[in-house]
Amino acid sequence: MFNKERLDEILNILDNEGKVKVKDLSKKFSVTEDCIRKDLKQLEQMDKLQRTYGGAIKLRKSKQIYEFSDRKKIDLSKKNIIAKKAVDIIEDRDTIFLDLSTTNILIAKLLASSKKRVTVVTNMLDIINILSSEDNNIIVIATSGILSKNLNGFVGPVTIDLIRRYKFDKSFIGSSGIDVFDKSVTTFDIEDGITKTAIIESSKKTFLVMENKKFYIDGNYKFATVDDIQGIVTDTIPNDEIVNILDEDNIQLY
């Protein structure tokens, strides 16, 4: 195997597992541990990972901000997996909140075609349109407030005032990223973050809906801590270290 191929494969393993160990990579590629250390040093210099004692971990990145129309197209297959899992969590007669999240749009589409009888409260325009235009058993309650065109929904004091009048059985919240080590849950928009905090405070159970990669990404506004949520719905289970931390915090992974 050429050096370039080995480096690519190391990054693939890191992307799937979140961390790598020198000893394991040495056995996998049948090369010396010194050779693997040089590989990891080279990848660190390329800003691809962060070396640790005995191995390396994924490099945490800052969240890139995309236009709403672009966000709807990114990681669509992964978001569909998440949406299907989330709908399985929702029970008949639940009152739920779907917030400003492109994954929640897919959840709304699945709910609209299901036979579940639920009440959906939302501040997102796409979700309002989906649930109001279908022949379904969904009761739709739309918040008012300041319309954010970039977020495709309502935020601000008026929105928050209505949210605080409810007690949701379950809420499904989008996130730019989560850091289980410092317990922060983040987004990139302050108004969105303040609104998400109000949703969590009014919910019996809160579930983050997010792709696996967001375990290694940070937004710039912290709207909650890991202790504020009860579950994370994701496309693939993260590495063992993250799973163990979440298990200690009694967070259910789906």
Side-chain angles (χ1 to χ4, degrees), residues 229-248:
I229 62 176
Q230 285 69 51
I232 299 176
V233 190
T234 187
D235 53 304
T236 56
I237 300 301
N239 67 64
D240 290 344
E241 186 176 14
I242 291 176
V243 170
N244 290 336
I245 292 172
L246 292 174
D247 187 55
E248 290 173 3

Side-chain angles (χ1 to χ4, degrees), residues 193-209:
I194 294 170
T195 306
K196 289 179 189 294
T197 301
I199 297 165
I200 292 171
E201 290 172 349
S202 293
S203 302
K204 296 175 184 176
K205 291 185 178 180
T206 298
F207 300 88
L208 293 182
V209 286

Side-chain angles (χ1 to χ4, degrees), residues 9 42 49 55 81 106 130 132 138 144 154 191 200 217 247:
E9 183 59 23
Q42 183 179 346
L49 52 74
I81 292 171
L106 301 175
I130 289 165
S132 62
I138 312 295
S144 55
F154 300 106
E191 289 291 342
I200 292 171
I217 295 176
D247 187 55

Side-chain angles (χ1 to χ4, degrees), residues 143-230:
T143 72
S144 55
I146 299 169
L147 176 61
S148 169
K149 294 180 181 178
N150 183 52
L151 295 172
N152 189 240
F154 300 106
V155 294
V158 176
T159 306
I160 290 170
D161 182 63
L162 183 139
I163 287 168
R164 285 179 173 159
R165 295 172 186 269
Y166 282 87
K167 195 70 176 177
F168 311 112
D169 295 303
K170 302 178 179 82
S171 62
F172 295 87
I173 304 289
S175 170
S176 297
I178 178 173
D179 186 340
V180 299
F181 302 100
D182 74 1
K183 298 186 180 298
S184 62
V185 186
T186 54
T187 186
F188 63 86
D189 184 276
I190 293 176
E191 289 291 342
D192 179 40
I194 294 170
T195 306
K196 289 179 189 294
T197 301
I199 297 165
I200 292 171
E201 290 172 349
S202 293
S203 302
K204 296 175 184 176
K205 291 185 178 180
T206 298
F207 300 88
L208 293 182
V209 286
M210 49 171 263
E211 305 94 292
N212 176 284
K213 68 180 182 181
K214 292 185 178 178
F215 283 105
Y216 314 99
I217 295 176
D218 295 312
N220 52 26
Y221 182 81
K222 176 180 172 181
F223 66 86
T225 70
V226 170
D227 297 330
D228 295 320
I229 62 176
Q230 285 69 51

